[in-house]
Amino acid sequence: MTNETIQYTSKIEEMLKKYNLEVDDAQVKAAVMKLIAEKVPQNDTLDVKKFLFGSIELTTLKTTDSDESVMAFTERVNQFDAQYPDLPHVATICVYPCFARTVSETLEVEGVELACVSGSFPSSQALIEVKVAETALAVRDGATEIDIVMPVGKFLSGDYESVCEEISELKHACGENVAMKVILETGDLVTASNIKKASILSMYAGGDYIKTSTGKEQISATPEAAYVMCRAIKEYYDETGIQIGFKPAGGINTVTDALTYYTIVKEILGEKWLTNKWLRLGTSRLANLLLSEIEGQEVKFF
C-alpha cells in the first residue's frame, strides 16, 4: 500500500467520523411508520400529485428495447406535452446509453432531461476503463444525466477507497454540467447503517444525487431506505452546504407509494428539495396512475 493510498484511506475515515453511522433498524422502522400514519394523508392532494407527475423519470430498460421502441417511447412524451398543456411534463427520459442519440434526436420538449444508466448497469461489474468509456459515450450522444451503480461488492468488502475512486472517475467522465446519480442498491446493503455509510461515501465522492435501486434486484426502494438516505443528505448538507438530490426507484407501484416518498422528503429535507430538480421518481408505471387520479378517470397514455 503506497503512502498516497494510506493518506486517501485516512482522509475517508476522518470524513466518515463526522457522521453518525450507527443507525438502529428498529428505530428507523418505527419512525417511518409514525411518519406515514401522521403525515401522508395531508399530502394526498391534487397539487402534490401534479408535482409528483412532473418528477417522474420515465424509464425503459428492457432487453427488448430497440431504436424503434425507444423512439415511440420518446414520441409519447412529445405528444403528452401537446395534449396536456396545463400539466407538467415528466422530468426525465431514462434509457440505456446505446439509445441516447435516438432520444436526443427525437425529443422535442424543452426541460425534459435525458438520463442514461451507465457504468455496467445494473451490476457495476466491469473494468473501470469500460465504465468510463460507456459514460463518456453516453454524454457525447446527448445524455444530460448519468445514473451509475455504486460498486456494491467493494463496499461490502470494506474497500471504501476503491468505491470513492470509481465514483469520482465516473463523475469526471460526466463533466461538471452532467448530473450523476449514484445507485446504492439498498436491498443488497441490508442494514440502515450500511445505507447511511454508502450514502455519505457516494456524496463525498462526487454524486449529485443518491438513488435507492436499479429495480433489477429482489428488494428495491423501501420507505426505510429512503428515510435513512434523506437523513444522510440532510447531515451532509448541514456539514458541507452542498445540496444533493434524491431518487427512489424500483417498486414504486402505487400513488400511495409516491406520496410516501414525497412525505419523507418533505419532513426530513424540507421545501428546498420539493422541486423536480432535487426529487425524482424512477418509475414508468406510476405515470398512468397519477394521470388517472389527476384527470378523475382511467387514462392509459404511456
Side-chain angles (χ1 to χ4, degrees):
M1 189 178 287
T2 66
N3 285 337
E4 188 176 333
T5 300
I6 293 169
Q7 287 175 357
Y8 188 54
T9 302
S10 298
K11 189 177 177 184
I12 292 170
E13 289 172 352
E14 286 301 311
M15 180 275 299
L16 288 173
K17 287 177 183 176
K18 296 177 181 179
Y19 303 93
N20 174 26
L21 301 176
E22 299 302 317
V23 188
D24 184 271
D25 289 87
Q27 288 180 0
V28 168
K29 190 173 185 62
V32 169
M33 286 179 63
K34 185 173 186 290
L35 191 150
I36 290 173
E38 294 180 358
K39 301 293 184 179
V40 169
Q42 67 193 44
N43 293 319
D44 188 359
T45 68
L46 186 61
D47 284 344
V48 169
K49 289 169 187 173
K50 287 180 180 179
F51 165 78
L52 289 169
F53 186 89
S55 292
I56 287 175
E57 296 209 347
L58 205 64
T59 303
T60 182
L61 298 171
K62 301 193 207 68
T63 305
T64 53
D65 286 342
S66 64
D67 283 326
E68 291 75 19
S69 69
V70 171
M71 188 180 299
F73 186 75
T74 308
E75 282 289 6
R76 293 305 283 165
V77 175
N78 294 338
Q79 293 160 9
F80 179 87
D81 197 54
Q83 194 164 326
Y84 294 92
D86 297 330
L87 292 179
H89 51 65
V90 296
T92 314
I93 293 175
C94 183
V95 295
Y96 284 112
C98 53
F99 299 115
R101 191 181 298 277
T102 300
V103 176
S104 182
E105 292 175 351
T106 307
L107 184 62
E108 298 170 356
V109 184
E110 287 189 18
V112 176
E113 302 291 346
L114 165 50
C116 285
V117 294
S118 184
S120 193
F121 177 94
S123 69
S124 193
Q125 300 288 16
L127 296 170
I128 185 61
E129 293 85 353
V130 174
K131 295 181 184 183
V132 167
E134 184 181 37
T135 301
L137 290 169
V139 172
R140 181 202 68 182
D141 287 348
T144 59
E145 297 182 354
I146 293 290
D147 291 27
I148 66 161
V149 181
M150 179 188 76
V152 178
K154 289 176 181 175
F155 173 85
L156 293 174
S157 298
D159 187 1
Y160 304 144
E161 180 195 348
S162 293
V163 170
C164 289
E165 283 181 345
E166 282 208 12
I167 292 170
S168 295
E169 281 198 54
L170 290 168
K171 176 55 187 173
H172 181 73
C174 290
E176 288 185 11
N177 297 324
V178 174
M180 186 178 77
K181 308 184 197 88
V182 182
I183 305 167
L184 307 186
E185 204 64 283
T186 53
D188 292 337
L189 299 182
V190 182
T191 69
S193 288
N194 275 347
I195 293 170
K196 180 75 171 288
K197 186 180 290 184
S199 298
I200 298 294
L201 288 170
S202 297
M203 293 185 284
Y204 171 77
D208 300 295
Y209 292 74
I210 52 175
K211 174 178 169 182
T212 58
S213 326
T214 62
K216 305 295 186 182
E217 294 289 271
Q218 189 172 358
I219 301 173
S220 291
T222 66
E224 290 77 17
Y227 181 89
V228 174
M229 290 170 69
C230 287
R231 291 293 294 267
I233 290 170
K234 180 67 166 61
E235 287 183 34
Y236 189 77
Y237 178 74
D238 290 344
E239 177 68 32
T240 67
I242 299 170
Q243 186 170 6
I244 302 293
F246 174 61
K247 179 182 173 181
I252 305 176
N253 298 318
T254 68
V255 172
T256 301
D257 290 339
L259 291 171
T260 296
Y261 291 117
Y262 174 91
T263 302
I264 290 168
V265 170
K266 181 180 179 181
E267 293 301 317
I268 296 174
L269 294 173
E271 297 288 337
K272 192 171 183 178
W273 270 261
L274 294 180
T275 75
N276 77 343
K277 176 179 180 180
W278 299 109
L279 171 59
R280 299 285 180 74
L281 300 170
T283 178
S284 286
R285 62 174 62 91
L286 184 66
N288 285 332
L289 295 174
L290 277 170
L291 191 55
S292 296
E293 294 219 3
I294 291 165
E295 292 293 296
Q297 59 184 343
E298 186 175 13
V299 180
K300 293 184 177 178
F301 188 90
F302 292 104

